[in-house]
Amino acid sequence: MEQTEHKRFSQKFPELGTDPIPVANSVSPDFFAKEKERIFKRSWINVGRVEELRKPGDFIVKKMDMWDTSILLVRGRDGELRAFHNVCQHRGNLLVGDSEKGNCKGFMTCKFHGWVYDDAGKLRDVPDEENFHNLDKATLGLKPIALDTWLGFIFVNLKPEQSLSEYLGGYVNEKLNAYPFDRLGTFYTYAPDEAVNWKVLLDAQQEGYHVPSLHKRTLSLSFPKEFVRFRSQDMILHGPHRILSAGSNAGEFVPTPVGAVASKIGANSIDAFAGAAGGDMSAYADAMHGVFDFNVIFPNFVIGLLYGTYFTYNIWPIAVNRSIWEIRMYYPTARNASQAFTNEYGKVAFRDGLMEDASVHEATQRGIESGAIENFQFQDEEILCRHGHLTVQRMVNG
């Protein structure tokens, strides 16, 4: 079917239909409990990047509410990355405190009774061991969790039914493989704790329909002066995963005076969204579909690719109406004051747009919990939202 300017993506993906999507699955505690069991405990979940665990003994603890556990990521003295339940096998105490990180020098000790584990998860020492009954230390190591990496991103899985490569499917391709993630080692993090369902939070990000209205003072500056509607360059679906790709507006983009200075030194968010990043950006262009690619890796991980900078979202479900929105913005490591200024300008400009996004998350959740709305009315530019809800519904009901 020939595509028109309107309803292009419903024509491209007719299998998704056009019916309204019920809000019930975003307010139901029972449905949320099923999401935890049938989606999050069976999916590969991103928990960081390899650069966070560079040296032997480096460790990070992640509180995984949707798994009802805490996990320990550690790089062993043999160089291997491993993941474990962060639980001492003696009495169930957390071996390391939630959200802690550091270097364990090869061993970790439970502060409750002093059981000692090495960085490969083996139980090495038990105080007053002789007073136990038939204690078999060889079977009492930390409980392992499946771990794999992809392009430097670390993923874990409680109940792997397929490899990470099989799970990602079409995402493992030459384009993303070509993106120079290793050049962008400096990151800044925000992690607001919001009273919003994880799907509602993600929906607010994975469509451009809201940009002219909500981002008048930020991202809309990347578009022509009379910017009144957003049109994606393309939408791409890969199984449960999806991409929104935006085209360039560089020819009509007018930077702010400060932005013009910053873009001469390196990439910043407003210029990059317009496709007007300065310098040689060929390495980034070769790896992308448009000048901005919003990659959603099911269920809760996003990689937003731009020229010279990228960002990630990890949306951590806590309860049916509570999520942590972990945001990371990646830039080249600054080698001088000018580059540090550009990174800071990009971080602050992007932060302002994020604050505009956050202003509607909790308000939307309150609205759908009021009972005044039964369905989401998704338009064509919101088709990734439709795809996300249908995918969740299929997996929960499957």
Side-chain angles (χ1 to χ4, degrees):
M1 181 183 297
E2 182 181 355
Q3 293 187 357
T4 64
E5 183 184 5
H6 302 290
K7 304 181 181 67
R8 291 182 298 148
F9 300 113
S10 60
Q11 295 178 57
K12 183 176 181 180
F13 305 112
E15 70 277 9
L16 299 182
T18 58
D19 292 338
I21 298 294
V23 305
N25 294 344
S26 298
V27 298
S28 165
D30 290 340
F31 193 83
F32 178 72
K34 292 176 182 178
E35 289 176 333
K36 289 171 61 176
E37 292 298 323
R38 300 177 186 179
I39 294 177
F40 284 96
K41 291 185 179 181
R42 297 181 181 180
S43 298
W44 285 96
I45 305 295
N46 170 258
V47 288
R49 281 196 57 81
V50 295
E51 292 87 353
E52 299 174 74
L53 298 157
R54 292 181 183 275
K55 299 180 295 184
D58 282 354
F59 71 89
I60 298 173
V61 174
K62 292 278 188 181
K63 189 171 183 285
M64 306 285 279
D65 291 271
M66 72 283 197
W67 282 5
D68 301 310
T69 192
S70 171
I71 69 169
L72 173 66
L73 307 170
V74 61
R75 188 176 290 279
R77 284 167 290 179
D78 58 2
E80 290 294 315
L81 278 174
R82 297 181 176 89
F84 304 98
H85 285 271
N86 179 33
V87 177
C88 178
Q89 296 298 296
H90 173 215
R91 293 265 293 278
N93 184 48
L94 295 184
L95 180 61
V96 186
D98 274 332
S99 302
E100 286 192 26
K101 61 181 178 180
N103 189 285
C104 66
K105 306 301 181 185
F107 298 93
M108 291 159 284
T109 303
C110 178
K111 69 178 182 180
F112 196 0
H113 297 93
W115 281 35
V116 179
Y117 301 85
D118 67 18
D119 55 21
K122 295 180 180 179
L123 178 59
R124 289 300 189 183
D125 187 66
V126 175
D128 197 14
E129 181 179 346
E130 296 78 11
N131 210 29
F132 280 89
H133 305 281
N134 303 315
L135 190 71
D136 184 1
K137 288 194 295 185
T139 64
L140 292 172
L142 298 177
K143 187 174 181 180
I145 296 172
L147 179 149
D148 203 350
T149 61
W150 168 69
L151 303 181
F153 294 99
I154 303 170
F155 287 78
V156 291
N157 193 323
L158 271 188
K159 303 174 182 179
E161 298 172 353
Q162 56 188 163
S163 69
L164 176 60
S165 178
E166 291 169 332
Y167 179 79
L168 294 172
Y171 268 82
V172 183
N173 57 53
E174 293 181 2
K175 272 195 172 296
L176 278 176
N177 284 337
Y179 194 87
F181 293 106
D182 56 348
R183 294 187 190 179
L184 308 174
T186 295
F187 68 89
Y188 306 94
T189 302
Y190 299 114
D193 187 336
E194 301 185 323
V196 61
N197 179 268
W198 70 278
K199 299 186 297 298
V200 173
L201 197 165
L202 179 56
D203 283 348
Q205 312 308 314
Q206 62 182 348
E207 46 88 1
Y209 182 41
H210 71 282
V211 174
S213 297
L214 189 60
H215 296 306
K216 292 178 181 178
R217 296 175 179 83
T218 56
L219 299 185
S220 287
L221 300 177
S222 301
F223 295 89
K225 186 175 182 180
E226 302 301 325
F227 177 53
V228 295
R229 65 182 184 182
F230 180 90
R231 288 291 184 265
S232 300
Q233 175 177 288
D234 201 3
M235 305 276 192
I236 303 167
L237 305 182
H238 291 295
H241 318 297
R242 61 200 82 106
I243 302 173
L244 181 156
S245 182
S248 174
N249 300 293
E252 301 179 72
F253 173 65
V254 179
T256 65
V258 177
V261 173
S263 65
K264 292 179 180 179
I265 303 165
N268 66 79
S269 56
I270 301 298
D271 295 35
F273 274 105
D280 181 8
M281 294 293 164
S282 58
Y284 300 94
D286 292 343
M288 296 168 61
H289 298 280
V291 299
F292 170 50
D293 290 347
F294 191 88
N295 297 270
V296 181
I297 299 180
F298 187 83
N300 67 325
F301 183 47
V302 171
I303 307 176
L305 300 182
L306 296 151
Y307 288 3
T309 176
Y310 77 98
F311 63 86
T312 61
Y313 297 158
N314 294 88
I315 299 174
W316 302 111
I318 308 298
V320 64
N321 58 356
R322 183 182 168 205
S323 305
I324 293 176
W325 184 24
E326 183 180 357
I327 304 149
R328 293 186 175 192
M329 294 167 282
Y330 290 83
Y331 297 93
T333 300
R335 293 182 172 84
N336 53 50
S338 296
Q339 292 172 346
F341 160 74
T342 297
N343 287 357
E344 189 69 17
Y345 177 80
K347 178 187 77 169
V348 171
F350 190 38
R351 177 209 61 190
D352 292 347
L354 296 171
M355 291 177 68
E356 291 169 335
D357 284 321
S359 71
V360 300
H361 292 165
E362 294 186 351
T364 302
Q365 188 68 28
R366 288 176 60 190
I368 64 175
E369 288 177 349
S370 71
I373 175 175
E374 295 183 357
N375 296 297
F376 297 114
Q377 307 291 333
F378 291 136
Q379 65 124 258
D380 205 57
E381 282 292 336
E382 299 169 296
I383 203 161
L384 293 194
C385 304
R386 177 183 299 280
H387 175 257
H389 280 269
L390 293 176
T391 300
V392 167
Q393 183 176 315
R394 175 175 55 82
M395 290 191 170
V396 166
N397 295 336

